[in-house]
Amino acid sequence: MQKLGSAPSRRKPSADRIAGAVAAALLVSADFTAIADEGSLRPYTIVRGSIPASLTGAAGDPARGRAIVLDRRLGACLLCHTGPFPEERFQGTLAPDLSGAGSRWSEGQLRLRLVDAPRLNPDTIMPPYYRVDGLTRVGSVWREKPILTAEQIEDVVAFLSTLRD
Amino acid sequence: MRALVLAAVAAAVAAAAAEIAPQDRHSGYDFAGPDTRAMQDDDTANPGMLGVLQGETLWAAKTGAAGRSCADCHGDARTSMKGVAARYPAFEPALARPLDLEGRINRCRSEHQGAEPLAWESADLLALTAFVAYQSRGLPIMVRADAELRPFVDLGSALFHRRQGQLNLSCSQCHDDNWGKRLAGAVIPQAHPTGYPVYRLEWQSLGSLQRRLRNCMIGVRAEPYDYSAPEAVDLELYLMARARGMPLETPAVRP
């Protein structure tokens, strides 16, 4: 049985319908197990390189998202990325500039890139921010916890969508 | 056509993940700032030299139930220890495994001095290790990859290339694929262990290669290897084999 909250197993991009069925099944089982497992993740559906629906069912808060992006421990985005944050010293040069991210990608595309970027590029260095399975030797304090919560993912999506230039 | 494009992409990905060519290898010294390099270059300014001097005293001190010093067996370290650290980790037949220099020193203590092992990262173990490694300063790293050690080099290589931790990163993704770029403010070096024990300004002390590996593992939010765990020694061995031919700098100074 697939663990509740773990991402649906890898599949061909054309299998969106099956993915929807898997997500629906997860939703049904979630109704039965409710919030008993606190470490469990919200189910989601991938549609053509995107997670169109909010993980929480609500829109995120861009101001909170900005704080998460700039926080070196929480989002830790600027360890690898640069961005339009002239006040921030010591930004990384490992990953694309976040400027214009909201023009390059839709909300759904940003959401999938945060949730589980290796799905799009298996060699990426972008960590999967909302996945707890398929990881190796995770430190005990981080185990079974995603890097960001569903609410935090939505906040970051909302903020990155505002980076239009 | 599509197959050709895919093949080209696959080749490019394979190239990105390849090991650094020998002529492109750089010590962490090359990535350090001028002040840090000057500190390493001047023995009177290099804080790691205090450890080397302390190690010289320990080398001559009688210890353990046998009441024997290192020098009682090995004599003058300047000759007997010359080139030794450049060959570590080395295969220990009794364990059928590689031992790093710290492990060798502690094994010598228990076998020949009747002394308790020194604690990992203790000032005494770091000092003795630094003193022994200092005798190889300037000599090329010559770790063997013979039939006995090869399987452990391969195990270390597998660990180096394995993604791990909550951040899901392998050592190789930073140190092979992205060296020279900046992780926040810090330039990512190539991870050649040319100067251990190293004086790290961030630590304000000497520290071992295993301590450095633990730092990186905690950085990617992985469970670090215990000190002297087989995985830690295998990884040290792989890194030293990867740096073969590069000169030892102990005691190196790093940011």
Side-chain angles (χ1 to χ4, degrees):
Chain A
M1 193 192 116
Q2 184 161 26
K3 188 173 167 292
L4 175 67
S6 59
S9 55
R10 290 192 182 279
R11 58 183 177 270
K12 289 177 191 136
S14 59
D16 289 329
R17 194 177 299 175
I18 299 169
V22 170
L26 285 169
L27 278 169
V28 169
S29 61
D31 284 339
F32 285 94
T33 50
I35 317 291
D37 178 5
E38 241 177 55
S40 69
L41 307 187
R42 319 274 179 108
Y44 56 85
T45 306
I46 299 175
V47 183
R48 287 180 291 282
S50 153
I51 302 174
S54 163
L55 298 177
T56 61
D61 173 23
R64 280 202 307 259
R66 186 178 200 277
I68 292 166
V69 167
L70 298 191
D71 188 309
R72 303 286 167 138
R73 294 289 297 166
L74 195 51
C77 307
L78 299 189
L79 265 56
C80 293
H81 291 277
T82 43
F85 316 110
E87 74 280 17
E88 288 290 321
R89 298 181 67 198
F90 304 129
Q91 302 185 27
T93 60
L94 295 174
D97 193 323
L98 296 177
S99 303
S103 305
R104 291 195 294 278
W105 310 111
S106 68
E107 274 196 22
Q109 288 172 323
L110 287 168
R111 191 175 287 111
L112 177 56
R113 278 158 177 76
L114 285 164
V115 164
D116 197 0
R119 270 179 182 281
L120 296 161
N121 169 14
D123 297 317
T124 186
I125 59 169
M126 173 78 176
Y129 274 76
Y130 197 68
R131 162 150 73 88
V132 297
D133 60 351
L135 304 176
T136 302
R137 213 183 161 86
V138 176
S140 52
V141 291
W142 311 106
R143 216 164 286 161
E144 297 301 316
K145 294 175 188 146
I147 301 170
L148 295 179
T149 65
E151 288 75 14
Q152 290 167 333
I153 294 280
E154 292 307 321
D155 291 342
V156 173
V157 167
F159 171 64
L160 293 178
S161 298
T162 69
L163 302 180
R164 311 295 298 182
D165 305 316
Chain B
M1 184 60 203
R2 192 190 155 122
L4 270 178
V5 170
L6 283 177
V9 168
V13 167
E19 285 186 14
I20 300 161
Q23 69 274 14
D24 296 331
R25 289 184 307 178
H26 292 283
S27 160
Y29 179 91
D30 297 338
F31 299 98
D35 292 352
T36 308
R37 285 193 236 175
M39 195 185 287
Q40 175 173 323
D41 292 340
D42 179 358
D43 280 353
T44 64
N46 182 337
M49 285 305 293
L50 293 172
V52 172
L53 290 174
Q54 188 194 342
E56 185 171 20
T57 305
L58 293 169
W59 180 263
K62 295 186 186 300
T63 187
R68 213 180 277 154
S69 71
C70 307
D72 287 341
C73 289
H74 294 288
D76 187 343
R78 282 174 297 182
T79 49
S80 66
M81 291 296 118
K82 188 173 181 177
V84 169
R87 296 194 293 271
Y88 269 74
F91 191 75
E92 167 52 49
L95 300 175
R97 281 201 45 79
L99 262 185
D100 58 16
L101 203 49
E102 288 89 342
R104 167 60 64 203
I105 287 168
N106 269 337
R107 200 167 162 81
C108 231
R109 284 175 64 83
S110 60
E111 285 196 330
H112 304 300
Q113 293 176 299
E116 290 292 311
L118 296 168
W120 267 92
E121 297 309 299
S122 64
D124 282 2
L125 184 56
L126 288 166
L128 261 177
T129 309
F131 175 67
V132 171
Y134 176 69
Q135 311 310 320
S136 300
R137 187 159 75 163
L139 297 178
I141 291 170
M142 295 297 282
V143 160
R144 293 162 202 267
D146 52 20
E148 283 170 328
L149 277 179
R150 192 74 238 175
F152 300 98
V153 175
D154 291 344
L155 284 170
S157 171
L159 296 175
F160 189 80
H161 293 92
R162 181 178 76 169
R163 285 177 181 261
Q164 57 182 337
Q166 192 194 39
L167 302 190
N168 198 37
L169 289 166
S170 72
C171 312
S172 171
Q173 285 181 298
C174 275
H175 298 289
D176 282 334
D177 300 345
N178 284 296
W179 61 267
K181 296 184 188 169
R182 285 182 182 272
L183 180 68
V187 178
I188 298 178
Q190 294 179 346
H192 297 301
T194 46
Y196 284 90
V198 72
Y199 188 92
R200 228 178 149 210
L201 300 172
E202 185 186 316
W203 294 336
Q204 291 286 297
S205 72
L206 274 179
S208 69
L209 175 54
Q210 291 202 22
R211 179 177 178 188
R212 188 67 194 81
L213 296 177
R214 288 171 62 88
N215 281 185
C216 261
M217 293 185 76
I218 292 165
V220 300
R221 302 181 179 177
E223 195 67 29
Y225 303 126
D226 290 336
Y227 281 112
S228 77
E231 294 96 331
V233 179
D234 294 344
L235 201 44
E236 288 183 286
L237 174 65
Y238 169 69
L239 290 175
M240 285 294 272
R242 185 169 166 270
R244 199 180 289 120
M246 299 177 78
L248 267 190
E249 301 164 37
T250 309
V253 180
R254 296 287 184 267

